[in-house]
Amino acid sequence: MAKTYTPIATTTLSSSATSVTFSSISSSYTDLILICSVLHSTADTLYVQYNSDTGSNYSSTYMESNGSGMLSQRQSNVVKGLLGLTQVGMSSTNPSVFFTSINNYSNTTAYKTAITQANLGSAEVESNTHLWRSTSAINTIKVLPSAGNMNSGSTFTLYGIVAA
Amino acid sequence: MANNTFINIATTTVGSGGASDITFSSIPSTYTDLQLLLSLRTSTATYQIDQIKLRFNGSTASNYSYKDIVASSAGATAQSNSSTDYWQFGYAPRPQATASTFGNTSLYIPNYTSSSNKSGFSISIAATNGTGDYWYMRQSAGLWSVTSAITSIAIYSGDSGGFAQYSTATLYGINNS
């Protein structure tokens, strides 16, 4: 039977945390899927950093709606890649869901891009993309909010997809 | 070797005569997330494009909220609904639309058995070959403010006219280990 998504690692927070990190990511897959379901103590935004890079090597473009209006903006030369939610932010009651595709993550010739659908049904819907200006293969992904803690019960799963 | 992750729970293909709704019941609690993939055409005779909606666990209580970005020939707009008795999450062509065209929708629900309220998201498109306002795309963030595990998903057409023959719906379970 052919494989589809292969679970690489999963984390469910048993207590609040300021970040979750996936390390030693194998380069044997073609693409990665990161699914986060996050409860957060304050209305903050979720980000990623790759390979412990905290330099101003990320850019993001997003469109989002809080249900009453739409907004499109861009972040350039920042220290984190955007996962969402930029306008209303996350909730402590209702899980915010982030579905991120990081395609061709292990190539060593191109910068890395990712696409995320970020959703909070009570408050905000968003699509965004971010760029990490590095030709290094991604071997570490750190998920972190702009501030505060991610609450107990938040889940983070990384899948690998093999093209053949 | 890792277990297979994407597991087909059930598939429905609408036969001749159509179907009033498409329902997945007795959903096992053994997966981590759910993904629903739809190819739909509705049977409501008037107009070109229909909306599609769902209910979880047969619940008709006003526990659904959703925030949408909707794109059409009229432009992109924001939509919001709260405390409704369904999640309206996508589009499908109607009988007046170009023949043999079906709308495509993908809906994802993580942690469907958790003890938190249930969040999910969808992306949907319906397009015809006609002129005028006959295509729609929707990205929807949905919330069901119920802490029970999801055990059934019922899908309806917006005007309750049902679904046309050859419409398909497949429910997958996603394992995170």
Side-chain angles (χ1 to χ4, degrees):
Chain A
M1 183 179 295
K3 295 180 184 177
T4 52
Y5 283 18
T6 299
I8 296 174
T10 189
T11 296
T12 300
L13 295 181
S14 56
S15 59
S16 63
T18 57
S19 66
V20 168
T21 299
F22 296 94
S23 303
S24 303
I25 298 170
S26 168
S27 62
S28 61
Y29 304 102
T30 306
D31 307 315
L32 297 175
I33 298 288
L34 174 66
I35 301 174
C36 306
S37 178
V38 183
L39 296 164
H40 194 272
S41 53
T42 56
D44 287 297
T45 303
L46 199 64
Y47 292 93
V48 288
Q49 289 173 327
Y50 299 113
N51 294 13
S52 305
D53 183 359
T54 59
S56 300
N57 297 315
Y58 302 84
S59 303
S60 301
T61 303
Y62 60 93
M63 68 171 182
E64 58 84 28
S65 170
N66 62 1
S68 61
M70 293 184 59
L71 185 65
S72 176
Q73 287 191 356
R74 179 165 173 76
Q75 303 170 348
S76 299
N77 301 316
V78 293
V79 299
K80 295 173 288 208
L82 178 67
L83 293 185
L85 301 152
T86 50
Q87 185 167 348
V88 177
M90 294 179 280
S91 164
S92 61
T93 305
N94 300 314
S96 299
V97 178
F98 306 85
F99 189 104
T100 301
S101 298
I102 311 168
N103 296 337
N104 205 16
Y105 72 102
S106 63
N107 86 85
T108 55
T109 57
Y111 291 164
K112 308 303 180 289
T113 58
I115 300 173
T116 301
Q117 290 182 266
N119 305 271
L120 178 55
S122 58
E124 185 174 354
V125 57
E126 180 176 313
S127 291
N128 62 67
T129 182
H130 68 259
L131 170 72
W132 179 43
R133 294 191 304 280
S134 170
T135 56
S136 300
I138 293 173
N139 54 55
T140 303
I141 300 174
K142 180 178 182 180
V143 181
L144 67 165
S146 50
N149 292 316
M150 298 179 289
N151 292 357
S152 172
S154 298
T155 65
F156 308 81
T157 303
L158 185 66
Y159 298 92
I161 302 176
V162 178
Chain B
M1 178 181 295
N3 294 327
N4 283 319
T5 307
F6 227 81
I7 307 295
N8 184 328
I9 297 174
T11 297
T12 295
T13 300
V14 176
S16 62
S20 59
D21 61 82
I22 296 173
T23 298
F24 296 95
S25 55
S26 302
I27 297 172
S29 62
T30 51
Y31 304 103
T32 308
D33 306 333
L34 296 175
Q35 176 144 34
L36 190 59
L37 298 181
L38 308 171
S39 175
L40 300 176
R41 185 179 177 95
T42 71
S43 301
T44 307
T46 53
Y47 307 115
Q48 301 249 353
I49 302 293
D50 204 346
Q51 305 209 46
I52 52 176
K53 54 189 181 182
L54 65 76
R55 291 190 171 116
F56 296 119
N57 297 8
S59 173
T60 59
S62 300
N63 292 325
Y64 303 84
S65 301
Y66 47 99
K67 297 287 187 286
D68 302 336
I69 297 174
V70 175
S72 71
S73 61
T77 60
Q79 295 185 3
S80 176
N81 287 276
S82 58
S83 301
T84 65
D85 62 319
Y86 53 80
W87 176 14
Q88 193 155 266
F89 67 100
Y91 295 105
R94 299 196 196 202
Q96 289 189 6
T98 306
S100 305
T101 57
F102 291 72
N104 283 332
T105 301
S106 174
L107 183 145
Y108 198 94
I109 308 164
N111 299 330
Y112 70 105
T113 65
S114 80
S115 57
S116 298
N117 292 336
K118 305 301 178 293
S119 292
F121 66 90
S122 71
I123 189 159
S124 178
I125 186 165
T128 76
N129 202 31
T131 57
D133 196 11
Y134 299 142
W135 65 269
Y136 283 87
M137 189 175 83
R138 176 186 231 138
Q139 180 179 347
S140 182
L143 174 70
W144 185 45
S145 297
V146 172
T147 57
S148 303
I150 293 173
T151 59
S152 73
I153 302 173
I155 305 159
Y156 307 91
S157 62
D159 285 347
S160 302
F163 298 104
Q165 185 181 18
Y166 306 121
S167 293
T168 64
T170 302
L171 182 66
Y172 295 91
I174 314 294
N175 289 317
N176 72 351
S177 64

